[in-house]
Amino acid sequence: GEDVEQSLFLSVREGDSSVINCTYTDSSSTYLYWYKQEPGAGLQLLTYIFSNMDMKQDQRLTVLLNKKDKHLSLRIADTQTGDSAIYFCAEFYSGGYQKVTFGTGTKLQVIP
Amino acid sequence: DAMVIQNPRYQVTQFGKPVTLSCSQTLNHNVMYWYQQKSSQAPKLLFHYYDKDFNNEADTPDNFQSRRPNTSFCFLDIRSPGLGDAAMYLCATRTYGTENTEAFFGQGTRLTVV
């Protein structure tokens, strides 16, 4: 079965880089996503990476994928107070069963 | 403009009183999901529809049902809410296929059971 795990909490100073890590177990995952959830809100897709890629950069966001170790990370450069939120990684298998499985979420606290 | 709309944003229901949460979409996506998210936890998939085909997760309680009368609307029915069903309920939609398509989420409905 699928299992996606993240560390629960990360605290960084404004202007520093944040790195949020995620491990997953389903090697058949096709896409891996990072979602952001602000308090009381739904989920907002930040970025994604296809499983045959190692890295993807999107402005301040860098996603690294180590498929061998089933490890995904999200790096946020120049972290701002507006980045404070919960970040979920999620895996998706594009085969017959269209299921998106979420990790446990990492709460990012940005200290001014 | 909101593309996945959930109503209401906040719902208070009495213990044991049936309640229905609604989700509508303007994206014409053929897959619609319902997730339950309890405080400080990951969203947990309850079930999803691919067109009219209903796919229930094995551990979703029988107390939770769903209806999808057409492409645009999907409902979550909780037949006899218990205190443990208090949570944020998230609806999401996507297009089925092997190409990557983003899952769009609604703002969620926060359910309180009293």
Side-chain angles (χ1 to χ4, degrees):
Chain A
E2 313 90 351
D3 196 13
V4 184
E5 295 188 355
Q6 302 174 236
S7 52
L8 290 179
F9 189 76
L10 176 66
S11 180
V12 299
R13 292 206 174 273
E14 190 174 18
D16 288 350
S17 292
S18 309
V19 179
I20 302 170
N21 294 301
C22 171
T23 58
Y24 61 98
T25 57
D26 189 352
S27 58
S28 59
S29 297
T30 314
Y31 295 95
L32 293 134
Y33 302 99
W34 283 103
Y35 280 87
K36 177 183 180 182
Q37 186 177 38
E38 296 182 2
L43 294 160
Q44 173 198 355
L45 180 67
L46 287 178
T47 188
Y48 66 92
I49 189 167
F50 188 43
S51 58
N52 69 353
M53 296 168 64
D54 298 323
M55 186 184 88
K56 181 178 179 181
Q57 188 149 2
D58 186 359
Q59 298 181 342
R60 291 192 297 125
L61 305 177
T62 303
V63 179
L64 296 177
L65 175 62
N66 181 330
K67 196 170 181 182
K68 175 176 169 289
D69 294 338
K70 299 191 183 70
H71 182 264
L72 181 74
S73 68
L74 173 70
R75 179 176 180 270
I76 307 173
D78 187 24
T79 312
Q80 303 297 308
T81 54
D83 295 325
S84 293
I86 300 176
Y87 291 80
F88 291 93
C89 66
E91 61 175 355
F92 172 68
Y93 171 58
S94 64
Y97 193 42
Q98 301 270 299
K99 182 174 175 178
V100 178
T101 302
F102 286 87
T104 47
T106 299
K107 185 172 183 177
L108 174 65
Q109 180 187 45
V110 182
I111 303 166
Chain B
D1 291 336
M3 294 174 285
V4 182
I5 302 163
Q6 290 188 243
N7 283 306
R9 289 289 311 278
Y10 301 92
Q11 175 74 58
V12 180
T13 191
Q14 290 180 328
F15 182 93
K17 184 176 180 180
V19 65
T20 295
L21 310 182
S22 75
C23 177
S24 64
Q25 55 137 335
T26 59
L27 300 162
N28 205 34
H29 285 171
N30 48 16
V31 186
M32 292 187 79
Y33 305 86
W34 277 106
Y35 286 84
Q36 179 193 62
Q37 186 181 23
K38 295 188 177 180
S39 182
S40 303
Q41 295 184 21
K44 178 180 177 301
L45 184 64
L46 295 173
F47 25 60
H48 76 276
Y49 275 94
Y50 167 41
D51 288 331
K52 289 184 183 290
D53 293 333
F54 178 69
N55 298 274
N56 198 29
E57 291 298 295
D59 56 356
T60 298
D62 291 340
N63 197 25
F64 291 86
Q65 305 284 320
S66 186
R67 295 171 285 135
R68 190 179 186 187
N70 53 53
T71 301
S72 301
F73 285 88
C74 194
F75 299 100
L76 169 62
D77 299 311
I78 308 177
R79 292 194 295 191
S80 181
L83 297 178
D85 296 327
M88 172 81 92
Y89 290 87
L90 296 163
C91 172
T93 74
R94 73 181 301 137
T95 296
Y96 177 91
T98 56
E99 295 296 319
N100 180 41
T101 54
E102 177 182 348
F104 287 84
F105 281 83
Q107 288 290 84
T109 295
R110 183 166 295 282
L111 179 69
T112 301
V113 181
V114 298

